[in-house]
Amino acid sequence: MDVKSAFLNGILEEEVYVTQPSGFEAKDANHKVFKLKKALYGLKQTPRVWNKLIDSFLLKLGFTKCSVEYGVYVRESQSQSLIYVCLYVDDLLITGSSMTEIEQFKNRLKAVFEMTNLGMLSYFLGMEFV
């Protein structure tokens, strides 16, 4: 799964100001700056804000963060089935023992984040899967 505009989802916790972009200067106020409310691509804070947002979302859904690899989350359901989520920037690799629960989880993700389902895994982080 690929999260569209992932870095634009996060709310900034600290004050960040940017100069007015060229071509969009406010007339008679070109000496002023903009105070950002949400993250933008290119900000140093943006990846951290996105990670905090997706981390809190997954933890609310009952996932547990792996203590060794912080980008891996695991959830065991009442029916003893497992779902594994591997988070890499704005891509999520999802696998588990129940296709029904995986589809339900994907639908929960799509309800909160605009996502693209990239289908079955064939290539990830330089590795080819067959």
Side-chain angles (χ1 to χ4, degrees):
M1 300 285 291
D2 177 60
V3 183
K4 294 181 182 178
S5 305
F7 285 3
L8 302 178
N9 286 312
I11 305 295
L12 294 169
E13 294 178 356
E14 60 273 347
E15 289 187 7
V16 177
Y17 297 91
V18 295
T19 59
Q20 296 182 38
S22 58
F24 293 96
E25 294 94 355
K27 301 227 186 292
D28 302 324
N30 57 352
H31 62 283
K32 293 185 178 181
V33 294
F34 292 122
K35 179 181 177 183
L36 297 179
K37 294 180 181 179
K38 295 184 85 176
L40 286 177
Y41 282 92
L43 289 178
K44 291 180 182 180
Q45 298 90 332
T46 302
R48 182 173 18 98
V49 171
W50 159 245
N51 188 272
K52 188 174 182 179
L53 178 66
I54 191 70
D55 180 71
S56 66
F57 176 78
L58 292 172
L59 294 177
K60 283 180 189 173
L61 289 181
F63 282 86
T64 305
K65 188 185 289 193
C66 179
S67 61
V68 179
E69 180 56 57
Y70 295 115
V72 176
Y73 296 81
V74 181
R75 183 179 78 185
E76 184 175 1
S77 70
Q78 294 173 344
S79 62
Q80 305 300 312
S81 64
L82 294 169
I83 296 179
Y84 296 93
V85 176
C86 176
L87 175 64
Y88 184 74
V89 188
D90 64 346
D91 294 324
L92 287 93
L93 174 62
I94 304 167
T95 189
S97 55
S98 168
M99 282 305 294
T100 304
E101 291 193 30
I102 290 172
E103 287 303 319
Q104 290 172 351
F105 171 63
K106 286 181 181 180
N107 290 333
R108 299 268 316 258
L109 279 170
K110 288 178 184 178
V112 176
F113 305 105
E114 190 177 347
M115 305 194 83
T116 303
N117 188 348
L118 301 175
M120 295 296 288
L121 179 68
S122 59
Y123 194 77
F124 190 71
L125 296 177
M127 296 178 282
E128 187 174 1
F129 295 82
V130 249

Coordinates of all heavy atoms in Angstrom, one line a residue, residues 61-105:
L61 N -5.2 0.9 16.7 CA -5.8 -0.3 16.2 C -5.4 -1.6 16.8 O -5.8 -2.7 16.4 CB -5.5 -0.4 14.7 CG -6.2 0.6 13.8 CD1 -5.9 0.4 12.3 CD2 -7.7 0.6 14.0
G62 N -4.5 -1.5 17.8 CA -4.1 -2.7 18.6 C -2.8 -3.3 18.1 O -2.5 -4.4 18.6
F63 N -2.1 -2.6 17.3 CA -0.8 -3.2 16.8 C 0.3 -2.9 17.9 O 0.2 -2.0 18.7 CB -0.3 -2.5 15.5 CG -1.0 -3.1 14.3 CD1 -2.3 -2.6 13.9 CD2 -0.5 -4.1 13.6 CE1 -2.9 -3.1 12.8 CE2 -1.1 -4.6 12.5 CZ -2.3 -4.1 12.1
T64 N 1.2 -3.8 17.9 CA 2.4 -3.6 18.8 C 3.6 -3.4 18.0 O 3.8 -4.1 17.0 CB 2.6 -4.9 19.7 OG1 1.4 -5.2 20.3 CG2 3.7 -4.7 20.7
K65 N 4.4 -2.4 18.4 CA 5.6 -2.1 17.6 C 6.7 -3.1 18.0 O 6.9 -3.4 19.2 CB 6.1 -0.7 18.0 CG 7.2 -0.2 17.1 CD 7.7 1.2 17.5 CE 6.8 2.3 17.2 NZ 7.4 3.6 17.3
C66 N 7.4 -3.6 17.1 CA 8.5 -4.5 17.3 C 9.6 -3.8 18.1 O 10.0 -2.6 17.8 CB 9.0 -5.0 16.0 SG 10.4 -6.2 16.1
S67 N 10.2 -4.4 19.1 CA 11.2 -3.8 19.9 C 12.5 -3.7 19.2 O 13.4 -2.9 19.6 CB 11.3 -4.5 21.2 OG 11.7 -5.9 21.0
V68 N 12.7 -4.5 18.2 CA 14.0 -4.6 17.5 C 14.0 -3.7 16.3 O 15.0 -3.0 16.0 CB 14.4 -6.0 17.2 CG1 15.8 -6.1 16.5 CG2 14.5 -6.8 18.5
E69 N 12.9 -3.8 15.5 CA 12.8 -3.1 14.2 C 11.6 -2.2 14.3 O 10.5 -2.7 14.3 CB 12.7 -4.1 13.1 CG 12.5 -3.4 11.7 CD 13.6 -2.5 11.4 OE1 14.8 -2.9 11.4 OE2 13.3 -1.3 11.1
Y70 N 11.8 -0.9 14.5 CA 10.7 0.0 14.8 C 9.8 0.3 13.7 O 8.7 0.9 13.9 CB 11.3 1.4 15.3 CG 12.0 1.2 16.6 CD1 13.4 1.5 16.7 CD2 11.4 0.9 17.8 CE1 14.1 1.3 17.9 CE2 12.0 0.7 19.0 CZ 13.4 1.0 19.0 OH 14.0 0.8 20.2
G71 N 10.1 -0.2 12.5 CA 9.1 0.0 11.4 C 8.2 -1.2 11.2 O 7.5 -1.3 10.2
V72 N 8.3 -2.2 12.1 CA 7.5 -3.4 12.0 C 6.4 -3.4 13.1 O 6.8 -3.2 14.3 CB 8.3 -4.7 12.0 CG1 7.5 -5.9 12.0 CG2 9.3 -4.7 10.9
Y73 N 5.2 -3.7 12.8 CA 4.1 -3.7 13.7 C 3.4 -5.1 13.6 O 3.3 -5.6 12.5 CB 3.1 -2.6 13.4 CG 3.6 -1.2 13.6 CD1 4.4 -0.6 12.6 CD2 3.4 -0.5 14.8 CE1 4.9 0.6 12.8 CE2 3.9 0.8 14.9 CZ 4.7 1.3 13.9 OH 5.2 2.6 14.1
V74 N 2.9 -5.6 14.7 CA 2.2 -6.9 14.7 C 0.9 -6.8 15.5 O 0.9 -6.1 16.5 CB 3.1 -8.0 15.4 CG1 2.4 -9.3 15.3 CG2 4.4 -8.1 14.7
R75 N -0.1 -7.4 15.0 CA -1.4 -7.5 15.7 C -1.9 -8.9 15.7 O -2.0 -9.5 14.6 CB -2.4 -6.5 15.2 CG -3.7 -6.5 16.0 CD -4.7 -5.6 15.4 NE -5.4 -6.2 14.3 CZ -6.2 -5.5 13.5 NH1 -6.5 -4.3 13.7 NH2 -6.8 -6.1 12.5
E76 N -2.3 -9.4 16.8 CA -2.9 -10.7 16.9 C -4.4 -10.5 17.2 O -4.7 -9.8 18.2 CB -2.3 -11.6 18.0 CG -2.9 -13.0 18.1 CD -2.1 -13.9 19.1 OE1 -1.2 -13.4 19.7 OE2 -2.5 -15.0 19.2
S77 N -5.3 -11.1 16.5 CA -6.7 -10.9 16.7 C -7.2 -12.0 17.6 O -6.5 -12.9 18.0 CB -7.4 -11.0 15.3 OG -7.4 -12.3 14.8
Q78 N -8.5 -11.8 17.9 CA -9.2 -12.8 18.9 C -9.2 -14.2 18.3 O -9.2 -15.1 19.0 CB -10.6 -12.3 19.2 CG -10.6 -11.0 20.0 CD -12.0 -10.4 20.2 OE1 -12.9 -10.8 19.5 NE2 -12.1 -9.5 21.1
S79 N -9.2 -14.2 16.9 CA -9.3 -15.6 16.3 C -7.9 -16.1 16.1 O -7.7 -17.1 15.3 CB -10.0 -15.4 14.9 OG -9.2 -14.6 14.1
Q80 N -6.9 -15.5 16.8 CA -5.5 -16.0 16.8 C -4.8 -15.8 15.4 O -3.7 -16.3 15.2 CB -5.4 -17.5 17.2 CG -6.0 -17.8 18.5 CD -5.4 -17.1 19.7 OE1 -4.2 -17.0 19.8 NE2 -6.2 -16.5 20.5
S81 N -5.4 -15.0 14.5 CA -4.7 -14.7 13.3 C -3.8 -13.5 13.5 O -4.0 -12.6 14.4 CB -5.7 -14.5 12.2 OG -6.4 -13.3 12.4
L82 N -2.7 -13.4 12.7 CA -1.8 -12.3 12.8 C -1.8 -11.4 11.6 O -2.0 -11.9 10.5 CB -0.3 -12.9 13.0 CG -0.1 -13.7 14.3 CD1 1.3 -14.4 14.2 CD2 -0.1 -12.8 15.5
I83 N -1.5 -10.1 11.8 CA -1.3 -9.2 10.8 C 0.1 -8.5 11.0 O 0.3 -8.0 12.2 CB -2.4 -8.1 10.6 CG1 -3.7 -8.7 10.3 CG2 -2.0 -7.1 9.6 CD1 -4.8 -7.7 10.2
Y84 N 0.9 -8.5 10.0 CA 2.2 -7.8 10.1 C 2.2 -6.6 9.2 O 1.8 -6.7 8.0 CB 3.4 -8.8 9.7 CG 3.5 -9.9 10.6 CD1 2.9 -11.2 10.3 CD2 4.4 -9.9 11.7 CE1 3.1 -12.3 11.1 CE2 4.5 -11.0 12.5 CZ 3.9 -12.2 12.2 OH 4.1 -13.2 13.1
V85 N 2.7 -5.5 9.7 CA 2.8 -4.3 8.9 C 4.3 -3.8 8.9 O 4.8 -3.7 10.0 CB 1.9 -3.2 9.4 CG1 2.1 -1.9 8.5 CG2 0.5 -3.6 9.3
C86 N 4.9 -3.7 7.7 CA 6.2 -3.1 7.6 C 6.1 -1.8 7.0 O 5.6 -1.6 5.9 CB 7.1 -4.0 6.7 SG 8.7 -3.4 6.5
L87 N 6.5 -0.8 7.8 CA 6.4 0.6 7.4 C 7.7 1.1 6.8 O 8.8 1.0 7.5 CB 6.0 1.5 8.5 CG 5.9 3.0 8.3 CD1 4.8 3.3 7.3 CD2 5.6 3.7 9.7
Y88 N 7.7 1.6 5.6 CA 8.9 2.2 5.0 C 8.6 3.5 4.4 O 7.9 3.5 3.3 CB 9.6 1.2 4.0 CG 10.9 1.8 3.5 CD1 12.0 1.8 4.2 CD2 11.0 2.3 2.2 CE1 13.2 2.3 3.7 CE2 12.1 2.8 1.7 CZ 13.3 2.8 2.5 OH 14.4 3.3 2.0
V89 N 8.9 4.6 5.0 CA 8.5 6.0 4.7 C 7.0 6.1 4.5 O 6.3 6.1 5.4 CB 9.3 6.5 3.4 CG1 9.1 7.9 3.2 CG2 10.8 6.2 3.6
D90 N 6.5 6.1 3.2 CA 5.1 6.2 3.0 C 4.5 4.9 2.3 O 3.4 4.9 1.8 CB 4.8 7.4 2.1 CG 5.3 7.3 0.7 OD1 6.2 6.4 0.5 OD2 4.9 8.1 -0.1
D91 N 5.2 3.8 2.4 CA 4.8 2.5 1.9 C 4.6 1.6 3.0 O 5.3 1.5 4.0 CB 5.8 1.9 0.9 CG 6.0 2.7 -0.3 OD1 5.0 3.3 -0.8 OD2 7.1 2.8 -0.8
L92 N 3.5 0.8 2.9 CA 3.2 -0.2 3.9 C 3.1 -1.6 3.3 O 2.4 -1.8 2.3 CB 1.8 0.1 4.6 CG 1.8 1.2 5.6 CD1 1.4 2.5 4.9 CD2 0.8 0.9 6.7
L93 N 3.9 -2.5 3.8 CA 3.9 -3.9 3.4 C 3.0 -4.6 4.4 O 3.3 -4.6 5.6 CB 5.3 -4.4 3.3 CG 5.5 -5.9 3.0 CD1 5.0 -6.2 1.6 CD2 7.0 -6.3 3.1
I94 N 1.9 -5.2 3.9 CA 1.0 -5.8 4.8 C 0.9 -7.3 4.5 O 0.7 -7.7 3.3 CB -0.4 -5.2 4.7 CG1 -0.3 -3.7 5.0 CG2 -1.4 -5.8 5.7 CD1 -1.5 -2.9 4.6
T95 N 1.0 -8.1 5.5 CA 0.9 -9.6 5.3 C 0.2 -10.2 6.6 O 0.2 -9.5 7.7 CB 2.2 -10.3 5.0 OG1 1.9 -11.6 4.6 CG2 3.2 -10.2 6.2
G96 N -0.3 -11.4 6.5 CA -0.9 -12.0 7.7 C -1.5 -13.3 7.3 O -1.3 -13.8 6.2
S97 N -2.1 -13.9 8.3 CA -2.6 -15.2 8.2 C -4.1 -15.3 7.8 O -4.6 -16.3 7.5 CB -2.5 -16.0 9.5 OG -3.0 -15.3 10.6
S98 N -4.8 -14.1 7.7 CA -6.2 -14.1 7.4 C -6.4 -13.0 6.3 O -6.3 -11.8 6.7 CB -7.1 -13.9 8.6 OG -8.4 -13.6 8.2
M99 N -6.8 -13.4 5.1 CA -7.0 -12.4 4.0 C -8.2 -11.5 4.4 O -8.2 -10.3 4.1 CB -7.3 -13.1 2.7 CG -6.0 -13.6 2.0 SD -4.8 -12.3 1.8 CE -5.6 -11.2 0.6
T100 N -9.2 -12.0 5.1 CA -10.4 -11.3 5.5 C -10.0 -10.1 6.4 O -10.4 -9.0 6.3 CB -11.4 -12.2 6.2 OG1 -11.7 -13.2 5.4 CG2 -12.7 -11.4 6.6
E101 N -9.1 -10.4 7.4 CA -8.7 -9.4 8.4 C -7.8 -8.4 7.7 O -7.8 -7.2 8.0 CB -8.1 -10.1 9.6 CG -9.1 -10.8 10.4 CD -8.6 -11.2 11.8 OE1 -7.7 -10.5 12.3 OE2 -9.1 -12.2 12.3
I102 N -7.0 -8.9 6.8 CA -6.1 -8.0 6.0 C -6.9 -7.0 5.2 O -6.7 -5.8 5.2 CB -5.1 -8.7 5.1 CG1 -4.1 -9.5 6.0 CG2 -4.4 -7.8 4.1 CD1 -3.2 -10.4 5.2
E103 N -8.0 -7.4 4.6 CA -8.8 -6.5 3.8 C -9.6 -5.6 4.7 O -9.7 -4.4 4.4 CB -9.8 -7.4 3.0 CG -9.2 -8.1 1.8 CD -8.5 -7.1 0.8 OE1 -9.1 -6.0 0.6 OE2 -7.5 -7.5 0.3
Q104 N -10.0 -6.0 5.9 CA -10.6 -5.1 6.8 C -9.7 -4.0 7.3 O -10.0 -2.9 7.4 CB -11.2 -5.9 8.0 CG -12.4 -6.8 7.7 CD -12.7 -7.7 8.9 OE1 -12.0 -7.8 9.9 NE2 -13.9 -8.3 8.8
F105 N -8.4 -4.4 7.5 CA -7.4 -3.5 8.0 C -7.1 -2.5 6.8 O -7.0 -1.3 7.1 CB -6.1 -4.2 8.4 CG -5.0 -3.3 8.6 CD1 -5.0 -2.4 9.6 CD2 -3.8 -3.4 7.8 CE1 -3.9 -1.5 9.8 CE2 -2.8 -2.6 8.0 CZ -2.8 -1.6 9.0

